[in-house]
Amino acid sequence: MAAPRLPAPAPCVAEDLRQVGLAAGLDAVGFTDTAPLLDTRAELHRRIAAGLHDTMAFTYRNPERSTSPDRLLRSARSLVVGARSYLVAEPDEVPPLAARVARYAWNDQYAELRAALNVVADALRAKGWRAAVYADDNAVVDRAVAQRAGLGWYGKNANLLLPKAGSWFVLGCVATDAPIESDATPVRDGCGACTRCFAGCPTDAIPEAGVIDASRCLAWLLQKPGVFPRRFRRALGSRIYGCDDCQEVCPVNERFATARRDDEVAGGAFVSVLELLALDDEALRRRNGQWYLFERDPRWLRRNALIVLGNLLADDAGEGVASADRVAAEARLAAAVADPDPIVRAHAIWAARRAGFDHLVPDQDLDPVVAAELVEGDGVESVDVIPTRRQWERR
């Protein structure tokens, strides 16, 4: 007896799916096919050959895989690409001795993006089609499929810029075997002759339009393992995770970007450095485990926090620090200088010197990482600190 024939899947209309995505919380929805991203693949290999990826993996790990959308799902034919804004109002005040977090990490933006994309995927499945959601996933270069779906253009800062909306968006897609006709057209470059992101990068990490040198990018350096490069420590300022400067100075963002909801103010914009340094490994993983740090090891978070603390207490920034906070910071640095972890000790020594607590610095240390810090000190090729957005506007 022959197996019963399944009903044919219902047709999918692009505009219907777009409305489903917008109603679910997406700010823009586009469509494209699953043809290989050959230009993106060639560019990834070019940057790898030039060393611009540093030790970054993610979509660099396997360019053939991350530029083959047809591999996301068996018989995949179409991609529904979504963008969701993560721009919310900044807190009015900065807490004392607080480290700054990049905007996309203030809240779990990808959770809300995935939830919206799953609504689209469910709509496809309800019609009998297969669908799978991908967001913040190294299986596909999300900016490349978003650009091909007509959502925006590549800015000189390598972010995807949406027309009259800017770059404060997280991106993801739904791969499906449904044939969805796409009317996507390339979005015209809107950067023109502007180069503000070049000058606005604190470490000169944009060597050419649309290209980031990961070995100089603070967002990557904060995530990777090892000793934080001495020449970029002062430029790090108060950043503890991520860097938004190339987006903050962008005229498109300044002119068009608006907060997603006027009454929503992010609670994760700043973290107390002293509180962070007082937490044990388990507590740090509970509180900040969603941050992408090498192997989720809290030592890299402590490393970053110590550099930030040194910068916040330095003469050129620490004049407004309350005496009680300065005393507490000195005690925290004294404990870090004696920490059993050489990575923590080395960066605590740098921070103590930067803060003017030279009496906390030991004469010697047998660990080679710490010994090198004692020898090198603070004067190794420090780059100039680029003004923040507000300082830039006052120029």
Side-chain angles (χ1 to χ4, degrees):
M1 182 177 177
R5 179 177 296 179
L6 296 174
C12 289
V13 179
E15 188 55 35
D16 291 344
L17 288 172
R18 177 178 284 111
Q19 294 307 314
V20 168
L22 295 176
L26 298 176
D27 293 291
V29 179
F31 306 90
T32 186
D33 57 36
T34 58
L37 305 160
L38 298 181
D39 290 345
T40 302
R41 182 180 302 173
E43 180 61 16
L44 288 175
H45 281 297
R46 183 187 78 85
R47 296 184 192 185
I48 291 171
L52 293 170
H53 70 309
D54 194 38
T55 57
M56 185 185 295
F58 205 58
T59 53
Y60 284 107
R61 185 191 306 278
N62 187 342
E64 279 63 37
R65 174 175 181 260
S66 60
T67 57
S68 298
D70 56 324
R71 299 184 187 179
L72 295 175
L73 184 75
R74 180 167 52 84
S75 302
R77 301 171 69 176
S78 308
L79 297 178
V80 184
V81 187
R84 189 179 192 281
S85 171
Y86 61 87
L87 184 64
V88 296
E90 284 193 51
D92 293 329
E93 297 182 2
V94 180
L97 294 182
R100 175 175 287 274
V101 179
R103 280 183 180 273
Y104 80 91
W106 288 2
N107 299 309
D108 189 354
Q109 302 298 333
Y110 281 103
E112 297 189 43
L113 173 67
R114 289 189 187 94
L117 291 172
N118 271 306
V119 173
V120 176
D122 287 342
L124 285 161
R125 296 181 189 116
K127 291 179 177 291
W129 301 103
R130 301 175 71 239
V133 170
Y134 292 87
D136 194 27
D137 194 304
N138 64 9
V140 64
V141 182
D142 51 15
R143 274 173 281 193
V145 294
Q147 189 269 344
R148 197 167 71 180
L151 293 191
W153 78 92
Y154 281 126
K156 290 178 181 174
N157 60 4
N159 287 287
L160 190 80
L161 286 155
L162 277 63
K164 296 186 178 182
S167 62
W168 302 105
F169 293 87
V170 284
L171 306 170
C173 67
V174 179
T176 179
D177 57 353
I180 304 173
E181 186 174 349
S182 171
D183 58 357
T185 56
V187 175
R188 182 178 60 86
D189 172 70
C191 291
C194 176
T195 58
R196 284 181 65 176
C197 59
F198 283 67
C201 177
T203 54
D204 195 25
I206 310 177
E208 57 185 282
V211 176
I212 302 297
D213 181 351
S215 70
R216 303 181 67 90
C217 177
L218 292 176
W220 168 241
L221 294 175
L222 284 165
Q223 293 184 30
K224 69 177 291 189
V227 174
F228 197 96
R230 292 182 185 87
R231 60 181 179 148
F232 297 138
R233 292 179 189 174
R234 292 192 178 208
L236 185 64
S238 63
R239 304 169 187 85
I240 195 165
Y241 188 73
C243 178
D244 289 329
D245 286 35
C246 66
Q247 296 191 84
E248 288 184 339
V249 301
C250 176
V252 179
N253 282 333
E254 291 180 351
R255 181 177 179 185
F256 295 111
T258 56
R260 184 174 180 84
R261 287 179 291 276
D262 292 339
D263 60 346
E264 182 179 345
V265 178
F270 299 96
V271 296
S272 166
V273 178
L274 296 185
E275 179 183 328
L276 188 154
L277 289 171
L279 297 177
D280 61 22
D281 286 2
E282 183 179 351
L284 283 175
R285 290 192 183 98
R286 281 199 307 268
R287 198 181 73 168
N288 302 107
Q290 77 279 10
W291 290 358
Y292 293 111
L293 299 165
F294 183 72
E295 295 184 342
R296 301 295 196 272
D297 192 335
R299 72 192 310 207
W300 314 124
L301 191 53
R302 293 191 180 96
R303 172 200 65 185
N304 300 345
L306 287 165
I307 299 171
V308 168
L309 183 57
N311 286 331
L312 291 174
L313 292 171
D315 290 340
D316 53 354
E319 294 180 358
V321 177
S323 58
D325 290 331
R326 193 168 182 87
V327 170
E330 182 178 4
R332 187 55 55 196
L333 283 174
V337 166
D339 194 277
D341 185 341
I343 287 290
V344 172
R345 291 204 305 279
H347 292 83
I349 287 169
W350 182 89
R353 283 171 166 163
R354 179 94 166 106
F357 297 139
D358 289 5
H359 60 282
L360 298 179
V361 178
D363 294 329
Q364 62 179 358
D365 193 296
L366 297 180
D367 186 274
V369 170
V370 186
E373 188 65 50
L374 288 170
V375 171
E376 296 291 352
D378 180 31
V380 181
E381 303 179 43
S382 292
V383 299
D384 293 331
V385 179
I386 303 297
T388 63
R389 177 182 60 180
R390 292 184 179 85
Q391 292 170 328
W392 185 284
E393 290 171 348
R394 288 198 295 267
R395 279 187 155 194

